[in-house]
PDB file of all heavy atoms in Angstrom:
ATOM      1  N   GLY K  67     -12.651   0.384  -6.578  1.00 97.00           N
ATOM      2  CA  GLY K  67     -13.881   0.902  -6.058  1.00 97.00           C
ATOM      3  C   GLY K  67     -14.109   0.873  -4.583  1.00 97.00           C
ATOM      4  O   GLY K  67     -15.002   1.452  -4.050  1.00 97.00           O
ATOM      5  N   ARG K  68     -13.169   0.136  -3.871  1.00 98.00           N
ATOM      6  CA  ARG K  68     -13.274   0.066  -2.464  1.00 98.00           C
ATOM      7  C   ARG K  68     -12.050   0.733  -1.748  1.00 98.00           C
ATOM      8  O   ARG K  68     -12.138   1.190  -0.608  1.00 98.00           O
ATOM      9  CB  ARG K  68     -13.355  -1.420  -1.974  1.00 98.00           C
ATOM     10  CG  ARG K  68     -14.491  -2.110  -2.476  1.00 98.00           C
ATOM     11  CD  ARG K  68     -14.662  -3.513  -1.799  1.00 98.00           C
ATOM     12  NE  ARG K  68     -13.485  -4.374  -2.126  1.00 98.00           N
ATOM     13  CZ  ARG K  68     -12.742  -4.847  -1.091  1.00 98.00           C
ATOM     14  NH1 ARG K  68     -13.003  -4.582   0.127  1.00 98.00           N
ATOM     15  NH2 ARG K  68     -11.726  -5.625  -1.412  1.00 98.00           N
ATOM     16  N   PHE K  69     -10.904   0.687  -2.443  1.00 98.00           N
ATOM     17  CA  PHE K  69      -9.646   1.210  -1.796  1.00 98.00           C
ATOM     18  C   PHE K  69      -9.183   2.479  -2.621  1.00 98.00           C
ATOM     19  O   PHE K  69      -9.490   2.548  -3.796  1.00 98.00           O
ATOM     20  CB  PHE K  69      -8.515   0.144  -1.941  1.00 98.00           C
ATOM     21  CG  PHE K  69      -8.651  -1.024  -1.027  1.00 98.00           C
ATOM     22  CD1 PHE K  69      -9.826  -1.308  -0.349  1.00 98.00           C
ATOM     23  CD2 PHE K  69      -7.538  -1.899  -0.759  1.00 98.00           C
ATOM     24  CE1 PHE K  69      -9.928  -2.406   0.421  1.00 98.00           C
ATOM     25  CE2 PHE K  69      -7.645  -2.904   0.043  1.00 98.00           C
ATOM     26  CZ  PHE K  69      -8.836  -3.224   0.681  1.00 98.00           C
ATOM     27  N   GLY K  70      -8.498   3.338  -1.940  1.00 97.00           N
ATOM     28  CA  GLY K  70      -7.979   4.512  -2.566  1.00 97.00           C
ATOM     29  C   GLY K  70      -6.602   4.759  -2.059  1.00 97.00           C
ATOM     30  O   GLY K  70      -6.282   4.653  -0.878  1.00 97.00           O
ATOM     31  N   ILE K  71      -5.674   5.049  -3.026  1.00 96.00           N
ATOM     32  CA  ILE K  71      -4.255   5.386  -2.655  1.00 96.00           C
ATOM     33  C   ILE K  71      -4.085   6.886  -2.882  1.00 96.00           C
ATOM     34  O   ILE K  71      -4.383   7.388  -3.879  1.00 96.00           O
ATOM     35  CB  ILE K  71      -3.285   4.508  -3.447  1.00 96.00           C
ATOM     36  CG1 ILE K  71      -1.871   4.707  -3.068  1.00 96.00           C
ATOM     37  CG2 ILE K  71      -3.432   4.698  -4.995  1.00 96.00           C
ATOM     38  CD1 ILE K  71      -0.828   3.694  -3.613  1.00 96.00           C
ATOM     39  N   PHE K  72      -3.464   7.465  -1.889  1.00 93.00           N
ATOM     40  CA  PHE K  72      -3.240   8.900  -1.921  1.00 93.00           C
ATOM     41  C   PHE K  72      -1.843   9.243  -1.432  1.00 93.00           C
ATOM     42  O   PHE K  72      -1.376   8.670  -0.406  1.00 93.00           O
ATOM     43  CB  PHE K  72      -4.263   9.596  -1.032  1.00 93.00           C
ATOM     44  CG  PHE K  72      -5.701   9.350  -1.391  1.00 93.00           C
ATOM     45  CD1 PHE K  72      -6.434   8.309  -0.737  1.00 93.00           C
ATOM     46  CD2 PHE K  72      -6.343  10.030  -2.411  1.00 93.00           C
ATOM     47  CE1 PHE K  72      -7.744   7.998  -1.074  1.00 93.00           C
ATOM     48  CE2 PHE K  72      -7.644   9.777  -2.732  1.00 93.00           C
ATOM     49  CZ  PHE K  72      -8.319   8.728  -2.060  1.00 93.00           C
ATOM     50  N   ARG K  73      -1.275  10.220  -2.093  1.00 89.00           N
ATOM     51  CA  ARG K  73       0.046  10.723  -1.663  1.00 89.00           C
ATOM     52  C   ARG K  73      -0.182  11.945  -0.843  1.00 89.00           C
ATOM     53  O   ARG K  73      -0.945  12.850  -1.155  1.00 89.00           O
ATOM     54  CB  ARG K  73       0.949  11.144  -2.882  1.00 89.00           C
ATOM     55  CG  ARG K  73       1.899  10.128  -3.317  1.00 89.00           C
ATOM     56  CD  ARG K  73       2.858  10.715  -4.249  1.00 89.00           C
ATOM     57  NE  ARG K  73       2.402  11.788  -5.008  1.00 89.00           N
ATOM     58  CZ  ARG K  73       2.669  11.952  -6.283  1.00 89.00           C
ATOM     59  NH1 ARG K  73       3.306  11.062  -6.967  1.00 89.00           N
ATOM     60  NH2 ARG K  73       2.243  13.053  -6.930  1.00 89.00           N
ATOM     61  N   GLY K  74       0.494  11.977   0.339  1.00 82.00           N
ATOM     62  CA  GLY K  74       0.531  13.123   1.160  1.00 82.00           C
ATOM     63  C   GLY K  74       1.814  13.799   1.128  1.00 82.00           C
ATOM     64  O   GLY K  74       2.790  13.480   1.899  1.00 82.00           O
ATOM     65  N   ASN K  75       1.961  14.716   0.184  1.00 76.00           N
ATOM     66  CA  ASN K  75       3.282  15.309  -0.097  1.00 76.00           C
ATOM     67  C   ASN K  75       3.849  16.068   1.027  1.00 76.00           C
ATOM     68  O   ASN K  75       5.084  16.087   1.286  1.00 76.00           O
ATOM     69  CB  ASN K  75       3.222  16.132  -1.408  1.00 76.00           C
ATOM     70  CG  ASN K  75       2.904  15.333  -2.656  1.00 76.00           C
ATOM     71  OD1 ASN K  75       3.005  14.121  -2.587  1.00 76.00           O
ATOM     72  ND2 ASN K  75       2.561  16.001  -3.670  1.00 76.00           N
ATOM     73  N   VAL K  76       2.953  16.751   1.734  1.00 77.00           N
ATOM     74  CA  VAL K  76       3.520  17.525   2.939  1.00 77.00           C
ATOM     75  C   VAL K  76       3.995  16.633   4.008  1.00 77.00           C
ATOM     76  O   VAL K  76       5.019  16.850   4.655  1.00 77.00           O
ATOM     77  CB  VAL K  76       2.425  18.433   3.419  1.00 77.00           C
ATOM     78  CG1 VAL K  76       2.852  19.162   4.695  1.00 77.00           C
ATOM     79  CG2 VAL K  76       1.973  19.466   2.365  1.00 77.00           C
ATOM     80  N   LYS K  77       3.212  15.543   4.342  1.00 79.00           N
ATOM     81  CA  LYS K  77       3.610  14.653   5.318  1.00 79.00           C
ATOM     82  C   LYS K  77       4.620  13.573   4.874  1.00 79.00           C
ATOM     83  O   LYS K  77       5.164  12.779   5.721  1.00 79.00           O
ATOM     84  CB  LYS K  77       2.346  13.937   5.927  1.00 79.00           C
ATOM     85  CG  LYS K  77       1.357  14.858   6.588  1.00 79.00           C
ATOM     86  CD  LYS K  77       0.240  14.035   7.237  1.00 79.00           C
ATOM     87  CE  LYS K  77      -0.635  13.346   6.198  1.00 79.00           C
ATOM     88  NZ  LYS K  77      -1.659  12.562   6.798  1.00 79.00           N
ATOM     89  N   ASN K  78       4.895  13.606   3.530  1.00 86.00           N
ATOM     90  CA  ASN K  78       5.790  12.615   3.044  1.00 86.00           C
ATOM     91  C   ASN K  78       5.228  11.154   3.212  1.00 86.00           C
ATOM     92  O   ASN K  78       6.019  10.300   3.641  1.00 86.00           O
ATOM     93  CB  ASN K  78       7.166  12.704   3.567  1.00 86.00           C
ATOM     94  CG  ASN K  78       8.255  12.446   2.527  1.00 86.00           C
ATOM     95  OD1 ASN K  78       8.058  12.678   1.346  1.00 86.00           O
ATOM     96  ND2 ASN K  78       9.400  12.025   3.003  1.00 86.00           N
ATOM     97  N   THR K  79       3.961  10.993   2.956  1.00 90.00           N
ATOM     98  CA  THR K  79       3.333   9.699   3.178  1.00 90.00           C
ATOM     99  C   THR K  79       2.580   9.278   1.980  1.00 90.00           C
ATOM    100  O   THR K  79       2.273  10.120   1.078  1.00 90.00           O
ATOM    101  CB  THR K  79       2.375   9.740   4.411  1.00 90.00           C
ATOM    102  OG1 THR K  79       1.351  10.686   4.128  1.00 90.00           O
ATOM    103  CG2 THR K  79       3.063  10.060   5.703  1.00 90.00           C
ATOM    104  N   VAL K  80       2.285   7.991   1.928  1.00 94.00           N
ATOM    105  CA  VAL K  80       1.286   7.430   0.933  1.00 94.00           C
ATOM    106  C   VAL K  80       0.330   6.653   1.766  1.00 94.00           C
ATOM    107  O   VAL K  80       0.726   5.777   2.532  1.00 94.00           O
ATOM    108  CB  VAL K  80       1.937   6.630  -0.160  1.00 94.00           C
ATOM    109  CG1 VAL K  80       2.679   5.417   0.337  1.00 94.00           C
ATOM    110  CG2 VAL K  80       0.891   6.269  -1.159  1.00 94.00           C
ATOM    111  N   ASP K  81      -0.903   6.995   1.578  1.00 95.00           N
ATOM    112  CA  ASP K  81      -2.000   6.421   2.425  1.00 95.00           C
ATOM    113  C   ASP K  81      -2.834   5.419   1.550  1.00 95.00           C
ATOM    114  O   ASP K  81      -3.027   5.701   0.326  1.00 95.00           O
ATOM    115  CB  ASP K  81      -2.913   7.431   2.956  1.00 95.00           C
ATOM    116  CG  ASP K  81      -2.151   8.441   3.930  1.00 95.00           C
ATOM    117  OD1 ASP K  81      -1.101   7.958   4.516  1.00 95.00           O
ATOM    118  OD2 ASP K  81      -2.500   9.593   4.081  1.00 95.00           O
ATOM    119  N   LEU K  82      -3.324   4.408   2.221  1.00 97.00           N
ATOM    120  CA  LEU K  82      -4.295   3.463   1.543  1.00 97.00           C
ATOM    121  C   LEU K  82      -5.530   3.519   2.425  1.00 97.00           C
ATOM    122  O   LEU K  82      -5.583   3.050   3.548  1.00 97.00           O
ATOM    123  CB  LEU K  82      -3.653   2.103   1.567  1.00 97.00           C
ATOM    124  CG  LEU K  82      -4.493   1.031   0.779  1.00 97.00           C
ATOM    125  CD1 LEU K  82      -4.521   1.298  -0.727  1.00 97.00           C
ATOM    126  CD2 LEU K  82      -4.003  -0.417   1.068  1.00 97.00           C
ATOM    127  N   GLN K  83      -6.537   4.057   1.833  1.00 97.00           N
ATOM    128  CA  GLN K  83      -7.849   4.117   2.509  1.00 97.00           C
ATOM    129  C   GLN K  83      -8.701   2.925   1.971  1.00 97.00           C
ATOM    130  O   GLN K  83      -8.860   2.815   0.743  1.00 97.00           O
ATOM    131  CB  GLN K  83      -8.494   5.456   2.218  1.00 97.00           C
ATOM    132  CG  GLN K  83      -7.797   6.639   2.848  1.00 97.00           C
ATOM    133  CD  GLN K  83      -8.476   7.914   2.617  1.00 97.00           C
ATOM    134  OE1 GLN K  83      -9.491   7.978   2.074  1.00 97.00           O
ATOM    135  NE2 GLN K  83      -7.820   8.988   3.058  1.00 97.00           N
ATOM    136  N   MET K  84      -9.220   2.163   2.937  1.00 98.00           N
ATOM    137  CA  MET K  84      -9.893   0.901   2.562  1.00 98.00           C
ATOM    138  C   MET K  84     -11.276   0.964   3.137  1.00 98.00           C
ATOM    139  O   MET K  84     -11.569   1.253   4.312  1.00 98.00           O
ATOM    140  CB  MET K  84      -9.134  -0.228   3.203  1.00 98.00           C
ATOM    141  CG  MET K  84      -7.693  -0.333   2.816  1.00 98.00           C
ATOM    142  SD  MET K  84      -6.801  -1.725   3.437  1.00 98.00           S
ATOM    143  CE  MET K  84      -6.791  -1.363   5.227  1.00 98.00           C
ATOM    144  N   TYR K  85     -12.270   0.677   2.267  1.00 98.00           N
ATOM    145  CA  TYR K  85     -13.628   0.688   2.589  1.00 98.00           C
ATOM    146  C   TYR K  85     -14.303  -0.646   2.245  1.00 98.00           C
ATOM    147  O   TYR K  85     -13.808  -1.389   1.494  1.00 98.00           O
ATOM    148  CB  TYR K  85     -14.402   1.794   1.860  1.00 98.00           C
ATOM    149  CG  TYR K  85     -13.869   3.192   2.190  1.00 98.00           C
ATOM    150  CD1 TYR K  85     -12.901   3.798   1.310  1.00 98.00           C
ATOM    151  CD2 TYR K  85     -14.320   3.887   3.264  1.00 98.00           C
ATOM    152  CE1 TYR K  85     -12.420   4.943   1.562  1.00 98.00           C
ATOM    153  CE2 TYR K  85     -13.771   5.181   3.513  1.00 98.00           C
ATOM    154  CZ  TYR K  85     -12.831   5.703   2.611  1.00 98.00           C
ATOM    155  OH  TYR K  85     -12.283   6.945   2.939  1.00 98.00           O
ATOM    156  N   ILE K  86     -15.450  -0.880   2.895  1.00 98.00           N
ATOM    157  CA  ILE K  86     -16.258  -2.111   2.654  1.00 98.00           C
ATOM    158  C   ILE K  86     -15.364  -3.310   2.722  1.00 98.00           C
ATOM    159  O   ILE K  86     -15.297  -4.163   1.794  1.00 98.00           O
ATOM    160  CB  ILE K  86     -16.976  -2.066   1.263  1.00 98.00           C
ATOM    161  CG1 ILE K  86     -17.597  -0.655   1.013  1.00 98.00           C
ATOM    162  CG2 ILE K  86     -18.039  -3.061   1.236  1.00 98.00           C
ATOM    163  CD1 ILE K  86     -18.184  -0.479  -0.360  1.00 98.00           C
ATOM    164  N   LEU K  87     -14.650  -3.436   3.813  1.00 98.00           N
ATOM    165  CA  LEU K  87     -13.660  -4.533   3.985  1.00 98.00           C
ATOM    166  C   LEU K  87     -14.380  -5.850   4.132  1.00 98.00           C
ATOM    167  O   LEU K  87     -15.471  -5.887   4.745  1.00 98.00           O
ATOM    168  CB  LEU K  87     -12.761  -4.246   5.152  1.00 98.00           C
ATOM    169  CG  LEU K  87     -11.747  -3.075   4.873  1.00 98.00           C
ATOM    170  CD1 LEU K  87     -11.227  -2.539   6.195  1.00 98.00           C
ATOM    171  CD2 LEU K  87     -10.612  -3.648   4.060  1.00 98.00           C
TER     172      LEU K  87
END
Side-chain angles (χ1 to χ4, degrees):
R68 299 189 299 121
F69 288 15
I71 185 169
F72 302 95
R73 261 195 333 224
N75 294 344
V76 174
K77 296 186 297 182
N78 217 28
T79 61
V80 59
D81 299 333
L82 185 69
Q83 296 182 3
M84 306 182 292
Y85 301 94
I86 318 175
L87 288 161

